[in-house]
Amino acid sequence: MTLSPLDDYPIHQAPQVMRHVATSDRNFYDRYYFNCHNGAQELAGRERARDANEQRSGRDHKHADGRLMLIVGVGQYPNLGVTDAFACIRTPDLHRVVRASRELGADRMDTGIGPFRVEVIEGLKRLRVILEPSEHGLSFDLTWEGTIPATLEPRHFIRWQERVVFDSVRLAQTGRWSGNIRIGTEDIQVTPDRWQGTRDRSWGIRPVGEPEPPGIQVKNPGTFYWLYAPMQFDDHAILCIVQEDEQGRRVLEEATRVWADGREEYLGRPEYHPVYAPGTRDVVEATITFGKLEVTCTPLLPVHLMVGTGYGLEPDWKHGMYQGVGPVVQGVTYRLPDDAARMWGMVDAVGRFEYDGRVGHGLFEYWALGPHPSFDGATGP
C-alpha cells in the first residue's frame, strides 16, 4: 500500500489508500472523454461574407462547417497498473491518432502520460487538455468551459452469463473551447464563439486491458445497439442515451433537458429511428422522439472512434493494455478515401439537431453491431 497526495484529502470511500479502489475487478477504469468541433459554424449572410474576406486576406477557413472533429481520452486502470491517453483528429481526408501509455504508479493525481495531460482548473466547470508537440503531427492546448452544469447520467449495469461486465456511472456536460490546435504545419485558432463540444467522465467496470479467456461468455450474442446524443442548443442541452439488447429490450435509457441555470426536465422514453445507407449500418439521418417532442438528427462528419485509439480493434493497443514502463508514444495516420475500408466500429459524428425551430450541434454516437429486431442482418455485420 503506497500513499499519494490524494490521501491527504478527506475523500476516502474504503479502508484503502486512494491508490486502491474498492473492488479488485481487473476491469475497473476511471477516464475522461472530450470532443471539440466546429459544427455550429454553419454561417450565413454577413458572417459568410466576413469569412470570405478573411480567407482572401490569408486566414484559413478550410475547416469550417463541421469539417473538423477532435476527440481526446485519458484513462486510468488502477488494478492493471496502467494509464493511457489518445487524441484523434478527423477532417474530410485525414484520420490521425496520437496515443500514449505508461505505468500508473501511486499518484493518481498525475494525469501526465508522455505529451498528454489534463488539468482541472475548476471542478465540474473548467478544464485544460494538452497534447505537446511531437513528431506525430498533432498538438493542442485547449481550455474547456461548460455551458450547463455537469449532469449525472443513469448507472450502466449489464450482467452477462453471471458476470458483471458493465457497472459504471458517468457525468455529461456540453461546453465551449478556446485555445489552439496544430495539424502538421497548420495552426488553427479555437475560439468559444465557433468551437464547442461535449465531455464525459465515467468510472466503474467495463472490459479493458488484454483479452481474457472467454469461457462461457462465448454464448453472448455480441449485440451492441447504441445511441448516445448529447445536444447543445443556445440556452439548454438535451442528453439522450438508448441501448437495447438483441431482443430489442432496453438496457439503458436517458432523456433529459438541462438548462444553463441547472434546471433538469425529464422528457420521457426516447424512441430512436435511424435511416441507414443502403447495404450498410451507416446512419445518414435519424429521428429521436420524446413523447410529442421530435428531434431530427443529421451526422455531419463521422469519426470512427475505435480506429487507432484503443477501444478494441487493434490487438496490440487496447485501453489498459500494458505497453511497458513508458511513456510509450505512438502515431497512426490514415488518409481518406484511400483507407476507408479500415474505418469500422463505433461512430462519433458531429451531429446537427433540430426541433421546434431550434438548431443545435453535438455528438451523435452510434453503433449497430450484431442481431437486433430493427434489421435482419442483411445490412452489415
Side-chain angles (χ1 to χ4, degrees):
M1 294 176 65
T2 305
L3 291 170
S4 76
L6 272 172
D7 286 297
D8 243 349
Y9 293 85
I11 54 176
H12 293 82
Q13 302 292 310
Q16 303 277 0
V17 295
M18 286 299 295
R19 164 66 181 83
H20 295 155
V21 296
T23 175
S24 62
D25 193 314
R26 70 183 297 279
N27 289 332
F28 187 89
Y29 77 102
D30 198 341
R31 68 182 296 111
Y32 296 91
Y33 166 97
F34 303 91
N35 65 60
C36 171
H37 60 83
N38 56 355
Q41 193 174 322
E42 296 182 322
L43 306 176
R46 180 167 55 84
E47 290 181 295
R48 283 197 184 276
R50 181 196 65 196
D51 282 351
N53 291 333
E54 289 176 339
Q55 191 169 30
R56 283 192 294 270
S57 67
R59 184 171 173 179
D60 185 6
H61 284 272
K62 70 180 183 179
H63 295 304
D65 300 323
R67 293 190 293 159
L68 185 150
M69 189 178 194
L70 172 69
I71 299 175
V72 184
V74 176
Q76 295 186 353
Y77 314 91
N79 294 336
L80 298 177
V82 171
T83 180
D84 55 28
F86 74 87
C88 176
I89 196 78
R90 173 74 159 91
T91 68
D93 61 355
L94 177 70
H95 179 106
R96 175 168 293 166
V97 175
V98 180
R99 59 198 187 191
S101 174
R102 65 168 172 85
E103 290 187 358
L104 177 59
D107 185 2
R108 293 188 60 197
M109 293 184 71
D110 180 4
T111 63
I113 308 154
F116 289 90
R117 73 179 185 273
V118 175
E119 299 175 1
V120 178
I121 300 171
E122 185 178 1
L124 305 181
K125 293 182 180 180
R126 297 178 67 229
L127 295 91
R128 185 181 177 201
V129 188
I130 298 168
L131 172 59
E132 300 287 355
S134 70
E135 70 272 24
H136 300 298
L138 175 64
S139 60
F140 49 81
D141 187 340
L142 297 167
T143 298
W144 163 273
E145 185 161 0
T147 54
I148 63 169
T151 303
L152 190 65
E153 296 179 343
R155 189 167 181 169
H156 193 184
F157 184 91
I158 299 176
R159 187 189 297 271
W160 283 339
Q161 303 294 341
E162 310 310 322
R163 180 171 182 181
V164 175
V165 291
F166 284 87
D167 186 7
S168 61
V169 294
R170 178 167 58 187
L171 64 84
Q173 191 174 39
T174 59
R176 297 194 175 275
W177 291 97
S178 58
N180 63 81
I181 300 171
R182 185 174 178 85
I183 308 172
T185 59
E186 178 188 1
D187 285 310
I188 302 169
Q189 294 303 307
V190 175
T191 55
D193 59 325
R194 295 182 176 222
W195 294 82
Q196 62 185 72
T198 64
R199 77 171 184 111
D200 66 61
R201 281 276 294 111
S202 64
W203 58 96
I205 294 167
R206 72 179 182 194
V208 295
E210 290 80 357
E212 298 181 80
I216 197 173
Q217 299 297 325
V218 297
K219 292 186 175 183
N220 293 325
T223 292
F224 199 80
Y225 188 80
W226 172 262
L227 168 72
Y228 181 53
M231 322 165 195
Q232 182 172 339
F233 299 90
D234 285 342
D235 58 356
H236 68 281
I238 293 177
L239 308 177
C240 173
I241 303 171
V242 174
Q243 184 180 358
E244 296 179 352
D245 68 11
E246 74 281 4
Q247 302 297 323
R249 295 172 297 203
R250 284 289 164 92
V251 175
L252 179 67
E253 68 177 33
E254 174 71 316
T256 303
R257 182 158 44 186
V258 183
W259 301 87
D261 61 9
R263 287 177 292 140
E264 294 187 24
E265 175 188 359
Y266 174 61
L267 297 177
R269 177 185 169 94
E271 299 292 347
Y272 172 48
H273 306 283
V275 176
Y276 299 106
T280 76
R281 294 184 185 177
D282 297 328
V283 177
V284 294
E285 61 183 51
T287 302
I288 309 172
T289 58
F290 312 94
K292 295 182 179 180
L293 191 155
E294 181 176 289
V295 179
T296 59
C297 315
T298 306
L300 299 179
L301 180 70
V303 183
H304 288 81
L305 178 65
M306 302 174 75
V307 178
T309 60
Y311 276 93
L313 292 188
E314 288 83 11
D316 60 341
W317 193 286
K318 300 178 186 293
H319 292 165
M321 178 178 283
Y322 184 61
Q323 303 292 341
V325 176
V328 176
V329 183
Q330 297 180 357
V332 179
T333 296
Y334 296 113
R335 294 289 177 178
L336 299 165
D338 294 347
D339 294 317
R342 297 177 179 269
M343 300 296 123
W344 189 84
M346 179 88 76
V347 173
D348 275 26
V350 179
R352 186 179 196 270
F353 303 95
E354 300 178 68
Y355 81 98
D356 294 345
R358 300 175 174 90
V359 177
H361 295 81
L363 174 65
F364 185 78
E365 179 182 84
Y366 70 90
W367 200 13
L369 175 71
H372 188 267
S374 66
F375 38 71
D376 60 10
T379 55

